[in-house]
């Protein structure tokens, strides 16, 4: 009897470990990069299933999201345009990537380089960059947006926040 109890305990522990691993393998993993997007168009993402390439946050809304598609069909995802901008800065071949941003006025993905950017939106990571298809007063173009983001002239900077919002 003394030999059976330790054996049963070991079998029980092994069974619990096996059940845990089996249950974990059934869960769908988060997608950070999608392969084979040879149309180079924005991917129709499933919310809470894709992860930001730069900051690692789960994409819970398409609003303020962005995507980058390489010539070989790899697609990266971002929950905030500011994250895309930080990722963009480290690219070697910037012209080999097609960038898409979700337009807040037309509710669809548009070419990031032709979009207009508002600097005071409420965004997932707090950078404040919202993309729009139609230009409005005080909106900036893609190159200006990149420059301001890389200079840390966004809402995460308290001086810029005070300048833009007056708070």
């Amino acid at each position: 009897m003394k030999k059976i109890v330790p054996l049963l305990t070991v079998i029980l522990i092994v069974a619990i470990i096996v059940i845990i691993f089996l249950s974990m393998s059934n869960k769908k993993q988060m997608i950070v990069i999608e392969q084979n997007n040879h149309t180079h168009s924005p991917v129709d993402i499933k919310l809470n299933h894709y992860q930001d390439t730069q900051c690692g946050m789960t994409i819970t809304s398409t609003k303020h999201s962005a995507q980058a598609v390489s010539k070989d069909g790899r697609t990266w995802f971002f929950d905030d345009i500011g994250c895309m901008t930080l990722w963009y800065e480290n690219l070697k071949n910037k012209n080999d990537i097609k960038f898409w941003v979700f337009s807040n006025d037309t509710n669809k993905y548009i070419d990031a380089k032709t979009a207009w950017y508002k600097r005071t939106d409420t965004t997932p990571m707090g950078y404040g960059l919202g993309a729009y298809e139609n230009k409005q007063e005080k909106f900036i173009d893609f190159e200006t947006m990149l420059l301001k983001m890389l200079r840390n002239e966004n809402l995460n900077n308290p001086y810029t926040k005070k300048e833009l919002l007056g708070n």
Side-chain angles (χ1 to χ4, degrees):
M1 188 68 158
K2 289 183 180 182
K3 292 182 182 181
I4 294 176
V5 172
L7 182 61
L8 288 175
T9 305
V10 170
I11 291 173
L12 181 63
I13 291 172
V14 170
I16 291 172
I17 292 171
V18 168
I19 290 169
I20 290 171
F21 277 107
L22 287 176
S23 69
M24 288 173 58
S25 68
N26 290 334
K27 292 181 182 177
K28 189 76 172 169
Q29 299 297 316
M30 297 294 282
I31 297 173
V32 179
I33 300 174
E34 189 160 307
Q35 306 289 335
N36 302 319
N37 180 4
H38 298 294
T39 63
H40 301 107
S41 25
V43 171
D44 189 21
I45 63 171
K46 181 180 175 186
L47 299 181
N48 301 309
H49 192 65
Y50 287 77
Q51 188 173 359
D52 187 301
T53 300
Q54 178 68 24
C55 71
M57 296 291 292
T58 300
I59 299 174
T60 59
S61 171
T62 53
K63 188 172 183 177
H64 302 297
S65 67
Q67 298 181 26
V69 185
S70 67
K71 286 184 177 181
D72 66 3
R74 288 180 293 162
T75 304
W76 293 267
F77 304 94
F78 308 91
D79 69 336
D80 191 302
I81 293 167
C83 291
M84 177 200 71
T85 305
L86 295 172
W87 183 82
Y88 175 88
E89 176 61 16
N90 295 317
L91 286 176
K92 291 181 178 129
N93 299 323
K94 291 177 173 52
N95 293 328
D96 292 344
I97 305 283
K98 175 76 174 173
F99 292 95
W100 299 97
V101 290
F102 193 81
S103 169
N104 293 323
D105 57 346
T106 56
N107 294 319
K108 63 181 181 181
Y109 282 100
I110 60 173
D111 184 333
K113 293 183 179 180
T114 62
W116 296 97
Y117 297 89
K118 183 178 177 183
R119 297 175 60 206
T120 57
D121 279 2
T122 301
T123 64
M125 297 304 293
Y127 296 113
L129 299 170
Y132 294 82
E133 192 164 11
N134 301 300
K135 185 178 182 181
Q136 295 180 30
E137 187 178 340
K138 295 186 180 180
F139 281 16
I140 58 176
D141 63 14
F142 181 75
E143 292 299 325
T144 305
M145 180 273 297
L146 288 175
L147 184 62
K148 290 197 176 289
M149 180 64 194
L150 297 174
R151 287 182 177 168
N152 196 28
E153 295 174 13
N154 59 66
L155 293 185
N156 283 338
N157 178 329
Y159 298 109
T160 302
K161 185 174 186 175
K162 184 174 183 177
E163 176 187 323
L164 294 173
L165 300 176
N167 298 345

